[in-house]
Amino acid sequence: MDWKTLQGLLSGVNKYSTAFGRIWLSVVFVFRVLVYVVAAERVWGDEQKDFDCNTRQPGCTNVCYDHFFPVSHIRLWALQLIFVTCPSLLVIMHVAYREDREKKNREKNGENCPKLYSNTGKKHGGLWWTYLLSLFFKLVIEILFLYLLHKMWDSFDLPRLVKCTNVDPCPNTVDCYIARPTEKRVFTYFMVGASSICIILTICEIFYLIFKRVVQRARKWRKSTKRSVSYSKASTCHCHIKSEEKDNKSQPRYVA
């Protein structure tokens, strides 16, 4: 996997992200992708080779390993990182679509024609909904992968000893030992903690976007209300002046 290419694509999201989004991206690349590439792959590289069982029954070790590790932690984390960063590409695609529309509009109507968008990267209209939808996708993916990680091994903890019972072709109960369980446990908790921080940041960003949108709508509503009130007052005063002029004209004039 070329992580540099993925980082180059997602770095463009920083231009359109909020402060929470920039922190989220930093956490993903520093505490997840970098740790995954530098350390986690090496720690989990010997998981199947050093999965030792107290039997020499052909095929038993492989079957027991597949029973307790249907999906490797390291491969599950790789899928999680890919899926959790893909929703951010929706924002880049939407901005690219806006820029393409703006370019076609200039080619068709000239360089001095009115712009379709005041700022193609500004989060308003459809882009705001795209950004909010990408955050919900991230949140669902993070929670789903944490649930899978917990469900497959009943917890985030890794035992030193696992017992393989009633699994063909293993005879009776077979004891199997995981290689470097303490080191793997530490990295598992670290990755789960980093994922939890990303979930918190995503939730904060969702509430921030919604709160900011509500405040903007409230300000617009107040401005429109003030304009309508001032207009009604002005029209009332104008009508009152006209009525006074009519009354003055209708009054009889006395000549001395």
Side-chain angles (χ1 to χ4, degrees):
M1 176 182 293
D2 192 355
W3 294 108
K4 291 183 179 179
T5 304
L6 184 61
Q7 183 179 6
L9 288 173
L10 293 178
S11 60
V13 183
N14 270 338
K15 296 187 293 184
Y16 320 115
S17 299
T18 62
F20 291 105
R22 295 186 183 97
I23 297 172
W24 177 88
L25 195 61
S26 300
V27 171
V28 167
F29 279 104
V30 175
F31 295 102
R32 298 177 70 176
V33 174
L34 192 60
V35 171
Y36 176 90
V37 173
V38 174
E41 281 187 319
R42 297 180 182 179
V43 172
W44 290 87
D46 60 350
E47 52 183 335
Q48 187 172 5
K49 181 180 68 175
D50 294 339
F51 187 77
D52 192 19
C53 298
N54 62 350
T55 182
R56 290 295 176 261
Q57 179 70 28
C60 179
T61 302
N62 291 333
V63 171
C64 286
Y65 177 82
D66 182 68
H67 178 72
F68 286 103
F69 296 97
V71 179
S72 172
H73 284 63
I74 198 70
R75 292 174 181 85
L76 189 66
W77 290 331
L79 288 174
Q80 183 181 11
L81 289 172
I82 292 171
F83 279 105
V84 84
T85 51
C86 281
S88 298
L89 300 179
L90 293 174
V91 180
I92 298 177
M93 292 171 63
H94 198 144
V95 174
Y97 167 74
R98 281 185 166 189
E99 292 175 349
D100 184 64
R101 282 196 64 192
E102 195 69 60
K103 181 180 177 181
K104 290 180 179 178
N105 180 52
R106 289 196 304 269
E107 291 176 353
K108 183 178 180 181
N109 301 317
E111 293 293 334
N112 297 324
C113 65
K115 292 183 177 181
L116 298 176
Y117 307 98
S118 58
N119 185 358
T120 55
K122 189 175 181 180
K123 293 185 290 295
H124 60 81
L127 185 60
W128 186 87
W129 288 104
T130 301
Y131 194 91
L132 187 65
L133 190 64
S134 69
L135 294 179
F136 278 110
F137 281 154
K138 290 178 188 176
L139 187 62
V140 171
I141 291 170
E142 292 278 20
I143 295 174
L144 179 62
F145 273 91
L146 283 183
Y147 172 77
L148 288 176
L149 187 64
H150 187 274
K151 187 70 175 178
M152 286 182 180
W153 295 279
D154 295 327
S155 67
F156 299 124
D157 192 19
L158 284 177
R160 290 181 172 85
L161 171 66
V162 292
K163 293 183 177 294
C164 195
T165 307
N166 297 326
V167 178
D168 293 334
C170 298
N172 303 321
T173 301
V174 176
D175 295 335
C176 295
Y177 300 89
I178 299 174
R180 293 189 288 181
T182 304
E183 192 174 5
K184 292 177 180 177
R185 188 184 300 118
V186 169
F187 275 98
T188 300
Y189 281 121
F190 182 86
M191 296 297 282
V192 170
S195 181
S196 301
I197 293 173
C198 290
I199 290 174
I200 295 172
L201 289 172
T202 304
I203 293 174
C204 291
E205 191 171 12
I206 289 173
F207 279 105
Y208 171 76
L209 280 178
I210 295 175
F211 176 76
K212 188 176 179 181
R213 188 64 175 268
V214 171
V215 170
Q216 289 176 351
R217 289 296 178 90
R219 288 177 180 174
K220 288 182 180 179
W221 181 79
R222 287 177 183 176
K223 288 182 180 179
S224 62
T225 304
K226 288 180 180 179
R227 288 177 182 175
S228 61
V229 169
S230 61
Y231 177 77
S232 61
K233 287 181 178 180
S235 60
T236 304
C237 294
H238 185 66
C239 293
H240 182 67
I241 292 171
K242 285 186 175 180
S243 63
E244 286 183 351
E245 290 178 353
K246 288 182 180 179
D247 291 339
N248 292 332
K249 290 180 180 180
S250 62
Q251 289 179 1
R253 297 181 180 179
Y254 298 97
V255 179

